[in-house]
Amino acid sequence: MKLISALLFFVLMFHTAVSFAEGQDSTYDRVLKSETIRCGYINYPPHFIIDPVSGKKSGISYDIMEEAARVLGLKVEWAEELGWGNTVEALNSKRVDAVCTSFWQNPVEGKYVFFTEPMFYSAVGAYVDAENTQINSDLSNVNDPSVRVSASDGAISFYVAQQDFPKATILSLPNMTDETQMLMEVDAGKADIAFIETYLGEKFIKANPKSLKNLVPNNPVRLFGNTFALPMDDVRFKSMLDSALVPMIQGGLVDRIISKYEEVPGGIYRVAQPFEVKE
């Protein structure tokens, strides 16, 4: 009887401690109280677009978050422009409530942040000069000091190079550099290869025919779910956002938003419907 009483006591104390902790300045509580989601964002077309003249914001992520907030009865404050290298710090320091540019679901930041349900998927290709014959199509000879990889600090391109090709020479670009700068480095002969989202790669080739080629069009280096990144302090905030995002995905609204900005058809992979309609 004493053992049962002790167990009940500790369960009660644990539940009380968790409830108290969640009530202490949690993101969920702050958002509900202010009725505002403070978003960090990254200039990353077509996911997030900032007009260089007017400063007006648009893009896939922008439209999705604005609609999600609307159906939740909340407002969005676009609080801070970030780079890929300082997103986790911005969340953990509570400067922003969420990173509201499409954030790839990955294990590097996954140790520190929550991810919403994936809204769509992106592939990572391996782009080299169109005339390049030195790098094998299976990338088997990339892991060599003689191979120069253009990569942006804090971006997935940097981690792919480090994880898969640690012996290659990484030519690092500063955090917050436009991602397409990596492709420009390859095109100019300053680097041999760049690992970048295929949507951006194919858009670059469309604008610059016969400049580059993707060595792995049918076998992406990575495939990532696009999410919003959230602080790992309260699962309730994630659950609230998912309750708005999932119906938008399944109802076709996210697909329509993507189509509005998609300049390279097929570059963004949609989420398959989780149900079957019987005829």
Side-chain angles (χ1 to χ4, degrees):
M1 187 67 180
K2 289 183 179 179
L3 178 60
I4 295 175
S5 298
L7 287 173
L8 288 174
F9 173 77
F10 282 115
V11 169
L12 179 61
M13 289 297 291
F14 177 77
H15 177 74
T16 302
V18 171
S19 298
F20 179 78
E22 288 184 343
Q24 294 297 300
D25 196 30
S26 75
T27 303
Y28 174 80
D29 291 328
R30 197 212 66 76
V31 167
L32 286 192
K33 183 177 180 179
S34 66
E35 298 184 340
T36 302
I37 301 173
R38 297 173 305 174
C39 276
Y41 56 93
I42 298 162
N43 190 6
Y44 188 57
H47 303 278
F48 203 96
I49 303 166
I50 305 174
D51 187 280
V53 178
S54 67
K56 181 180 178 181
K57 300 173 181 63
S58 61
I60 297 169
S61 299
Y62 177 87
D63 286 5
I64 290 175
M65 177 52 80
E66 286 282 350
E67 178 61 16
R70 187 190 70 79
V71 300
L72 289 168
L74 303 171
K75 301 185 295 292
V76 179
E77 175 190 346
W78 296 99
E80 182 178 347
E81 183 172 358
L82 304 170
W84 293 114
N86 65 343
T87 51
V88 172
E89 189 273 330
L91 286 168
N92 289 340
S93 64
K94 297 188 180 297
R95 298 202 312 269
V96 299
D97 301 321
V99 178
C100 304
T101 297
S102 307
F103 203 104
W104 287 352
Q105 194 174 34
N106 74 89
V108 177
E109 283 90 4
K111 295 184 293 185
Y112 311 108
V113 302
F114 272 148
F115 298 111
T116 62
E117 287 294 310
M119 299 169 285
F120 49 93
Y121 290 85
S122 295
V124 176
Y127 286 86
V128 300
D129 184 88
E131 303 300 323
N132 186 293
T133 57
Q134 284 72 47
I135 297 179
N136 298 335
S137 59
D138 62 1
L139 309 182
S140 59
N141 61 342
V142 173
N143 195 32
D144 186 280
S146 66
V147 177
R148 301 165 299 168
V149 181
S150 182
S152 180
D153 286 344
I156 288 297
S157 57
F158 194 89
Y159 297 119
V160 167
Q162 279 190 324
Q163 292 168 2
D164 293 10
F165 311 103
K167 294 181 181 179
T169 300
I170 300 178
L171 304 181
S172 180
L173 295 171
N175 182 35
M176 298 184 76
T177 300
D178 187 329
E179 291 278 291
T180 56
Q181 182 64 35
M182 294 187 293
L183 299 174
M184 295 172 66
E185 295 285 298
V186 175
D187 189 34
K190 297 178 180 179
D192 300 307
I193 191 168
F195 303 106
I196 193 169
E197 182 179 354
T198 55
Y199 180 90
L200 296 179
E202 297 310 310
K203 182 179 176 182
F204 184 90
I205 293 172
K206 181 180 178 181
N208 304 275
K210 300 181 180 180
S211 57
L212 305 179
K213 62 182 178 182
N214 180 11
L215 290 176
V216 290
N218 300 318
N219 187 29
V221 177
R222 294 285 193 284
L223 189 67
F224 291 105
N226 284 268
T227 72
F228 293 137
L230 316 174
M232 199 178 279
D233 68 349
D234 194 340
V235 71
R236 298 175 298 172
F237 185 42
K238 166 181 162 54
S239 179
M240 179 179 71
L241 281 178
D242 283 343
S243 73
L245 294 173
V246 171
M248 292 170 60
I249 298 166
Q250 296 179 355
L253 179 56
V254 168
D255 185 18
R256 294 193 293 274
I257 290 173
I258 292 172
S259 297
K260 177 180 174 182
Y261 295 99
E262 190 176 27
E263 296 179 39
V264 184
I268 296 175
Y269 301 178
R270 274 53 165 187
V271 176
Q273 292 288 11
F275 56 83
E276 180 182 357
V277 178
K278 293 292 185 180
E279 296 293 339

